[in-house]
Amino acid sequence: MATKFVLIGSGLAGGLLAAYLGRRGHDVDLYERRADPREGNIVGGRSINLALSTRGIYALEQLGIADEVLRHAIPMRGRMIHDKSGALHFSPYDRDPNKFINSIGRAALNTTVIEAAQRYPSVRVHFNHRCTDVDLDSATAKLVSSGAEGAVSAADSDRQIIKARADAIVGVDGAFSAVRQSMQKKISGFEYDESYLAHGYKELTIPPAPDGSWRMEKEALHIWPRKSFMMIALPNPDGSFTCTLFWEFEGPRSFASTETDDQIRHFFEEEFPDAVPLMPSLLDEFKTNPTGSLVTIRCAPWFYKDKIAIVGDAAHAVVPFYGQGMNAAFEDCVVLDKCLAEHPTGMIVDLHRLSDPHAVSAPLWLTLCAQGAALQPPIVIGVCLPAPISIF
Ligand code: FAD
């Protein structure tokens, strides 16, 4: 029996989940607060590229879109450690050279999963619709539509309030989930914990060489580990690398205390001397690009009756050093699909299994991380930071 779903958020997991539900013939309305990423409006201030690992690829394979995605990916066969002298040390992720993680652009991946969802006639995607509230008992989402101008900038006169009712609503709306906030308000005893690192992140670029080639080893995740902070760089198909500096927000050496051209240049020349000549726009980018924060969200439960569920970052946002937030979010979609397959009557009560640690590996994985257990080599991307982010 087909069930009517409303999904909130067409980020990485939202598009994928819509495709899974569409494949089963469910009726799906997917609402996204931002404009269509195919119009070039990919989320600003978020990572430009990500490490896609086996569990994420498995989720894509089940829908037959892994090859489509991996066409845009670059294998990263190991870590390339850059020390302060500029010396390089390569450490493969696995003895088997066929086991590696993949650098994939967020925009390409987001577009692919949305297009995969739209291939199913029962899936409709509505951009520029921001969910403001969810009535849990009637599974009704309140949304503000803002026309084609984008949810943030549209004039008040263009805005319309819409109510979308369904058999079930799934919040796939990221770390600051509106669906989760509605659950917090309604469910007594809802457990919620958010913690921010003292570190933020800033993205910078190493452009391609004049002939379009990569200026460093292409098939590696580059890391400049520096005790309490680090920079990483992932390759892009256009010959560039996206670098991410993870650094303290405050302190004598920090984002806050590094503002002038001289300070920025001095810091990079001291810490990342081999990268500086490869970063012609360093000063501009450092001053212009946003400094993002890094949040971990733990909450429970991840469902309400047979009506509401949250998956992906909405349920379990993690810091990026594991390289697993998206991969875990994709795995959530696989598990939810399995739950629905086992009960083809379409009873949403199966969403309850999302809180079963044996059903979803994400919380289990989080527990392992909290205990400091070793993760499998192919899914650990970094190597260096001390507490509170000594998780490599
Ligand atoms: P999101 O991708 O955040 O999507 C949520 C969507 O919901 C967005 O499109 C948003 O616009 C929309 N939305 C939000 N609120 C509303 C609302 N009220 N109404 C309507 N729509 C709404 N993970 C990895 O696996 N590998 C990596 O290498 C990796 N690197 C990372 C690097 C950085 C710097 C960061 C910050 C994260 C990284 N992650 C990585 C984590 C990964 O980005 C997230 O885990 C992943 O994006 C989660 O997917 P999601 O669909 O749950 O949420």
Side-chain angles (χ1 to χ4, degrees):
M1 187 179 90
T3 301
K4 162 91 194 206
F5 283 90
V6 160
L7 305 189
I8 306 297
S10 78
L12 299 179
L16 190 75
L17 183 58
Y20 268 103
L21 295 173
R23 187 176 63 158
R24 294 211 175 273
H26 294 300
D27 198 36
V28 181
D29 278 299
L30 172 56
Y31 292 96
E32 164 60 42
R33 70 175 171 181
R34 294 181 187 268
D36 190 333
R38 290 163 292 190
E39 292 163 11
N41 294 302
I42 194 67
V43 183
R46 301 295 308 278
S47 60
I48 288 165
N49 51 21
L50 308 110
L52 174 66
S53 62
T54 308
R55 61 206 304 226
I57 294 171
Y58 177 81
L60 298 167
E61 278 170 352
Q62 303 313 298
L63 280 178
I65 57 171
D67 289 344
E68 208 175 319
V69 168
L70 290 170
R71 258 206 308 274
H72 305 284
I74 297 179
M76 297 186 293
R77 300 184 190 279
R79 308 175 183 95
M80 184 70 81
I81 305 295
H82 298 239
D83 70 22
K84 274 198 185 187
S85 72
L88 301 177
H89 312 273
F90 183 73
S91 147
Y93 281 123
D94 202 280
R95 261 184 262 169
D96 179 349
N98 294 315
K99 290 187 179 163
F100 47 80
I101 54 176
N102 299 272
S103 174
I104 179 82
R106 189 180 286 268
L109 185 52
N110 205 354
T111 297
T112 306
V113 292
I114 289 170
E115 287 179 350
Q118 288 181 321
R119 281 179 207 139
Y120 298 99
S122 61
V123 176
R124 294 164 297 276
V125 187
H126 313 270
F127 295 102
N128 302 306
H129 283 74
R130 183 168 57 88
C131 175
T132 54
D133 191 29
V134 173
D135 182 78
L136 305 193
D137 284 306
S138 65
T140 305
K142 199 166 158 191
L143 299 135
V144 180
S145 115
S146 55
E149 298 300 313
V152 181
S153 60
D156 282 352
S157 55
D158 291 341
R159 297 188 180 188
Q160 285 180 347
I161 307 284
I162 290 167
K163 287 194 172 176
R165 193 172 179 150
D167 297 313
I169 293 180
V170 186
V172 211
D173 48 347
F176 304 100
S177 166
V179 178
R180 188 187 65 231
Q181 283 166 24
S182 297
M183 293 168 74
Q184 272 178 274
K185 281 187 228 152
K186 169 83 185 180
I187 301 171
S188 69
F190 187 88
E191 287 172 33
Y192 180 71
D193 177 69
E194 67 175 25
S195 57
Y196 285 86
L197 291 188
H199 292 65
Y201 71 95
K202 192 182 283 287
E203 293 201 328
L204 304 161
T205 314
I206 293 179
D211 66 357
S213 61
W214 290 263
R215 286 170 182 256
M216 304 187 294
E217 166 58 46
K218 174 188 167 191
E219 296 195 345
L221 196 163
H222 293 262
I223 307 179
W224 291 256
R226 299 292 182 265
K227 295 198 174 157
S228 74
F229 60 90
M230 71 167 176
M231 187 166 79
I232 64 171
L234 274 68
N236 296 311
D238 67 357
S240 68
F241 287 84
T242 302
C243 305
T244 310
L245 171 65
F246 296 98
W247 200 17
E248 286 94 339
F249 276 113
E250 305 285 341
R253 283 178 100 220
S254 65
F255 282 118
S257 61
T258 307
E259 286 174 343
T260 66
D261 289 4
D262 276 353
Q263 287 169 332
I264 298 166
R265 211 178 286 116
H266 182 255
F267 169 69
F268 275 82
E269 279 169 359
E270 192 171 301
E271 299 296 344
F272 315 118
D274 60 331
V276 173
L278 309 179
M279 303 170 88
S281 308
L282 171 62
L283 293 178
D284 276 353
E285 288 188 335
F286 190 90
K287 288 186 282 187
T288 316
N289 290 355
T291 308
S293 51
L294 298 166
V295 67
T296 298
I297 307 254
R298 296 181 177 85
C299 68
W302 292 351
F303 65 91
Y304 175 75
K305 296 186 180 167
D306 59 351
K307 304 274 187 200
I308 312 288
I310 46 176
V311 301
D313 274 14
H316 46 71
V318 288
V319 291
F321 312 113
Y322 306 114
Q324 284 299 308
M326 163 195 63
N327 289 292
F330 280 7
E331 198 166 72
D332 287 359
C333 300
V334 175
V335 174
L336 184 48
D337 179 66
K338 208 167 152 202
C339 294
L340 293 167
E342 284 169 11
H343 298 273
T345 54
M347 290 296 288
I348 309 305
V349 71
D350 302 329
L351 299 183
H352 288 55
R353 278 190 51 192
L354 275 177
S355 286
D356 173 358
H358 301 293
V360 184
S361 53
L364 176 62
W365 171 79
L366 280 175
T367 311
L368 291 173
C369 292
Q371 292 166 352
L375 295 170
Q376 295 164 29
I379 58 173
V380 183
I381 63 170
V383 286
C384 76
L385 300 173
I389 42 180
S390 58
I391 46 184
F392 298 99

